[in-house]
Amino acid sequence: MIVLLCALVWLDYGSEVLPGGNVFGIIVVCSCAMIGGKLVGLIKLPTLPPLPSLLGMLLAGFLIRNIPVISDNVQIQHEWSSSLRSIALSIIVVRAGLGLDTKALKKLTGVCVRLSMGPCLVEACASALLAHFLMGLPWRWGFILGFVLGAVSPAVVVPSMLLLQEGGYGVKKGVPTLLLAAGSFNAILTITGFNTCLGIAFSTGSTVVNVLSGVLRVLTGVATGSLLGLFIQYFSSSDQDNPVWKRGFLVLVFSELVVLSSLYFGFPGSGEILCTVLMAFFEVTSWTRNKAKVENIVRVAWIVFEPLLFGLLGAEVSVASLRRETVGLCVATLGTAVLIRILTTFLMVCFAGFNIEEKIFISFAWLPKATIQAALGSVALDTARLYGDTLLEDYGMDVLTVAFLAVLITAPIGHLLIGLLGPRLLQKTEHQDKDENVQREPSEQV
């Protein structure tokens, strides 16, 4: 069967499936990324959850690019890799929109808004300032880098919060619920801010025209997202056969169509992101019963594109093209921005009913970066390649390098801090039976 499948693919794509072709490169990167993720997932430390598989995926792509014999035979054109990363970005945005919890938002409105917006905006501004004076990036590119770093990783935070929630840690104060709800809003804000800055950086003409054009794109995205959301809501009604599969399919197809169309017509901006978010949010409010099933369908699509996303990000970084001073400045910018983010997060959760231990935990739990950085890190470089400007490509490579280092450094550190600090700083809720209190598993098992 495998031989027949390979023969059919070869007949359809010809040299593309041979070494040096795009299809061959995609298959190798995806396979190696999946294997690397599985190997990292096998590393289990006592008293801690398994390490996130995305680290193995990232390192697999990095090794493919920097091992001479392999890199000569694994070649993927920039257009192919850019399209695949754009599809992965649309899936991330859909998951963020479907993950919006309206009940949690009403319950924790003030602190949720502060936590999702405050650290992101402060870190974006601090990163822009550091990137301008340390790395020599223009202000527009500094803010592009700032919004790349401004997001927290759902791939690291969500599994860790669910484990703590199952163990009863922080449940009484709603700490896991707060972080899960704020994570979706944080991702949406970061992606919207990034695309807005990207549109400004590559725009031409007067400032007034650029601002009006940006506002028009936002309004167009809002209107289009609302119309698509209403269309999916009424087209796939509950009285039809298999409405869940139709809803999941339509949400994925429309989101990818919107994002890829904006790239094809050369309109980078926040309009397509808001369109996708509103379309997914419409479905959240109307599909209360089947929301989990639709999320499972989108999760399957993410399982396919996650190794491609992180593998392609790692494959973009070449050791030969990196300079020592550049790496040092990138690490300095990243480290300083992360420290500012931790302090800002601590201030944002003050006066919210949390004790000092819970504030410290939330500050460090809001640290890891991975998914959004992998999706956005190379977008600026891909856009610069379309313009053919060498200077802009250098700026895009600096943004990509910082994004790569952010995932490589903060994802494992944040993962370990959540696993270590959670059972020690959060209060454990005791569950009572009819006659006596029944204690859950000890904190060392979380």
Side-chain angles (χ1 to χ4, degrees):
M1 292 295 293
I2 297 177
V3 175
L4 290 176
L5 180 61
C6 293
L8 289 174
V9 174
W10 179 77
L11 290 174
D12 288 336
Y13 294 96
S15 60
E16 292 290 344
V17 300
L18 299 177
N22 290 300
V23 177
F24 178 83
I26 293 171
I27 293 174
V28 171
V29 170
C30 184
S31 302
C32 293
M34 294 177 68
I35 294 173
K38 293 294 183 181
L39 292 177
V40 171
L42 295 176
I43 302 175
K44 296 183 180 180
L45 301 176
T47 72
L48 291 175
L51 290 173
S53 59
L54 57 91
L55 292 176
M57 300 175 185
L58 187 71
L59 292 175
F62 179 75
L63 292 175
I64 290 174
R65 175 63 184 274
N66 293 281
I67 296 177
V69 178
I70 299 178
S71 61
D72 294 337
N73 294 282
V74 179
Q75 301 288 336
I76 303 175
Q77 294 180 0
H78 298 308
E79 294 80 5
W80 286 61
S81 60
S82 176
S83 299
L84 291 172
R85 286 192 295 263
S86 298
I87 294 174
L89 176 61
S90 66
I91 296 174
I92 292 172
V93 176
V94 169
R95 295 190 71 190
L98 293 175
L100 296 176
D101 191 340
T102 54
K103 295 181 180 179
L105 179 62
K106 293 178 182 179
K107 182 180 179 181
L108 302 167
T109 303
V111 65
C112 183
V113 172
R114 294 200 305 269
L115 187 61
S116 60
M117 297 182 62
C120 173
L121 296 177
V122 172
E123 185 179 16
C125 295
S127 300
L129 188 68
L130 293 168
H132 179 72
F133 290 104
L134 290 182
M135 300 175 60
L137 293 180
W139 285 110
R140 295 179 179 181
W141 281 87
F143 278 99
I144 289 175
L145 175 61
F147 279 105
V148 168
L149 297 179
V152 68
S153 172
V156 179
V157 174
V158 172
S160 301
M161 289 301 105
L162 292 177
L163 284 175
L164 291 175
Q165 194 171 33
E166 291 174 0
Y169 292 97
V171 175
K172 186 176 181 180
K173 294 288 189 66
V175 175
T177 303
L178 170 64
L179 293 176
L180 291 174
S184 297
F185 289 98
N186 177 256
I188 293 169
L189 175 64
T190 303
I191 296 173
T192 303
F194 170 83
N195 280 273
T196 302
C197 294
L198 186 69
I200 295 174
F202 288 95
S203 60
T204 57
S206 63
T207 304
V208 177
V209 174
N210 293 332
V211 172
L212 293 177
S213 177
V215 174
L216 180 61
R217 292 174 185 173
V218 170
L219 295 177
T220 303
V222 171
T224 306
S226 303
L227 292 175
L228 290 177
L230 291 173
F231 172 77
I232 298 174
Q233 179 180 350
Y234 291 104
F235 179 79
S236 56
S237 57
S238 57
D239 57 347
Q240 299 180 7
D241 296 332
N242 299 322
V244 175
W245 287 98
K246 293 180 181 179
R247 292 167 179 175
F249 175 78
L250 288 175
V251 168
L252 287 173
V253 169
F254 279 134
S255 62
E256 294 168 8
L257 179 64
V258 168
V259 174
L260 292 177
S261 298
S262 66
L263 294 176
Y264 179 79
F265 292 106
F267 294 119
S270 58
E272 71 274 11
I273 301 301
L274 291 176
C275 173
T276 305
V277 170
L278 281 175
M279 179 179 62
F281 185 68
F282 262 88
E283 318 320 327
V284 170
T285 57
S286 60
W287 299 341
T288 306
R289 296 181 179 179
N290 296 326
K291 174 189 171 184
K293 296 180 181 179
V294 177
E295 287 180 336
N296 289 332
I297 296 175
V298 178
R299 188 179 295 112
V300 171
W302 172 242
I303 291 174
V304 175
F305 280 92
E306 182 184 17
L308 277 175
L309 176 62
F310 287 100
L312 290 173
L313 174 64
E316 287 284 351
V317 181
S318 175
V319 175
S321 62
L322 296 178
R323 301 188 304 271
R324 291 183 179 180
E325 59 272 15
T326 302
V327 176
L329 293 174
C330 290
V331 173
T333 301
L334 174 64
T336 307
V338 166
L339 290 176
I340 294 174
R341 179 187 183 89
I342 292 174
L343 295 175
T344 305
T345 305
F346 185 87
L347 295 176
M348 291 296 105
V349 294
C350 290
F351 309 104
F354 298 115
N355 56 38
I356 186 66
E357 290 84 1
E358 292 165 341
K359 295 175 185 177
I360 294 174
F361 172 77
I362 295 174
S363 300
F364 285 103
W366 220 228
L367 164 68
K369 308 175 186 298
T371 314
I372 307 300
Q373 287 70 28
L376 301 181
S378 59
V379 173
L381 178 60
D382 294 335
T383 308
R385 285 168 175 167
L386 295 176
Y387 284 81
D389 192 324
T390 306
L391 182 60
L392 295 180
E393 290 183 13
D394 292 337
Y395 294 154
M397 194 64 206
D398 289 340
V399 173
L400 175 65
T401 303
V402 177
F404 175 81
L405 294 173
V407 178
L408 195 63
I409 296 173
T410 63
I413 293 177
H415 172 80
L416 294 175
L417 287 175
I418 293 174
L420 289 172
L421 298 180
R424 291 166 175 80
L425 298 180
L426 299 179
Q427 296 179 358
K428 183 177 181 180
T429 303
E430 297 181 356
H431 300 270
Q432 294 184 351
D433 286 343
K434 293 182 179 180
D435 299 324
E436 60 179 1
N437 293 336
V438 178
Q439 297 289 342
R440 280 197 166 188
E441 293 180 359
S443 60
E444 289 79 4
Q445 300 297 325
V446 177

